[in-house]
Amino acid sequence: MVGMRNSQLRRGGTAGALLLVLAVAAAGCRNRLPVAPPEEIRPDRFDDRGIVPLPAGQWSGYTDQRQHTFWRNGEDNDPCLSRDGTRLLFSSTAHSPVSSIYLRPLDGRATRQLTTGIHNDMYPELDPTGTRVAFASQRTGNWDIFVVEIDNPNTAWQVTQSPGDDIHPTWSPDGRRLAYCSRARDEDWQIWVVDLKSHGFTNLGPGMYPDW
């Protein structure tokens, strides 16, 4: 069943040298993790372990807070944890004025850049098998959904070709479908589902930020 996320907060950093902190809970979310609001993540708030205290309320239940990116330039956004909890996907402007997709293990610092170019790539999500990444990109002029294989990142294939903007893909548990939100010009956001084998599209009605 496709639902909608309660929170629309997605950015995890401040301008300049971004410090991305993930709140890694033992139970964990299936994919995207909550991050502290941008105004709460300031370099002067980190202790010598790279941990920043989260504000009271909805963030206070997360006790295992660790810094996972360390670049001095750009911003790191859209953190997405693999379903087995071992890898982290995110978008970053660390090496370019536009955003690219990166992958790194949680237990190390070896970061792999999956996409490059003069376009923005954002909203990555790893499929259930851990071999494909769905993401939104502006490489066609507007935002469309693309899929790239981790072992062959130079061959991204385009999933949507709508005249509006398609963002925030999320995989079905069997990896056969993607849900995403789409908006044509001057219209409300709608949630769509695409079958990757039959290329059939289904409109689920108004909504944003689907979560399978």
Side-chain angles (χ1 to χ4, degrees):
M1 177 181 293
V2 179
M4 289 181 288
R5 303 182 193 280
N6 292 328
S7 173
Q8 296 182 9
L9 173 68
R10 302 191 48 79
R11 297 192 59 167
T14 57
L18 177 96
L19 299 173
L20 174 66
V21 174
L22 297 182
V24 183
C29 298
R30 287 193 306 275
N31 292 98
R32 303 184 195 279
L33 296 175
V35 296
E39 62 272 15
E40 296 294 340
I41 300 182
R42 304 193 305 267
D44 62 317
R45 297 199 62 187
F46 285 84
D47 62 19
D48 56 2
R49 298 170 297 167
I51 294 178
V52 60
L54 294 178
Q58 62 175 318
W59 308 105
S60 60
Y62 299 96
T63 58
D64 186 9
Q65 304 149 36
R66 298 188 299 266
Q67 181 178 351
H68 288 278
T69 61
F70 302 86
W71 291 323
R72 295 183 178 274
N73 300 316
E75 294 186 352
D76 302 338
N77 299 299
D78 308 311
C80 174
L81 189 66
S82 63
R83 300 194 181 207
D84 62 5
T86 63
R87 291 179 290 175
L88 176 67
L89 276 166
F90 60 97
S91 63
S92 178
T93 57
H95 301 115
S96 171
V98 296
S99 182
S100 299
I101 305 300
Y102 291 81
L103 176 68
R104 55 156 296 150
L106 280 186
D107 60 356
R109 295 193 181 186
T111 303
R112 180 181 177 188
Q113 185 172 352
L114 296 181
T115 67
T116 59
I118 59 174
H119 43 262
N120 282 301
D121 298 330
M122 299 185 72
Y123 302 102
E125 182 159 316
L126 198 63
D127 81 336
T129 67
T131 61
R132 297 174 296 172
V133 176
F135 62 97
S137 177
Q138 286 183 311
R139 61 187 65 190
T140 58
N142 57 296
W143 289 100
D144 280 305
I145 305 300
F146 288 76
V147 171
V148 64
E149 293 185 2
I150 290 178
D151 290 338
N152 191 15
N154 295 322
T155 57
W157 57 282
Q158 187 173 350
V159 177
T160 68
Q161 302 182 46
S162 67
D165 290 322
D166 304 328
I167 63 171
H168 201 282
T170 179
W171 292 93
S172 64
D174 60 8
R176 297 175 56 185
R177 293 168 291 171
L178 284 170
Y180 61 95
C181 50
S182 179
R183 183 181 65 176
R185 180 171 297 182
D186 299 325
E187 295 184 4
D188 293 332
W189 286 98
Q190 302 278 321
I191 293 180
W192 287 79
V193 173
V194 55
D195 187 301
L196 297 178
K197 184 176 181 179
S198 68
H199 305 289
F201 290 81
T202 303
N203 187 322
L204 301 185
M208 290 187 69
Y209 299 108
D211 186 17
W212 216 301

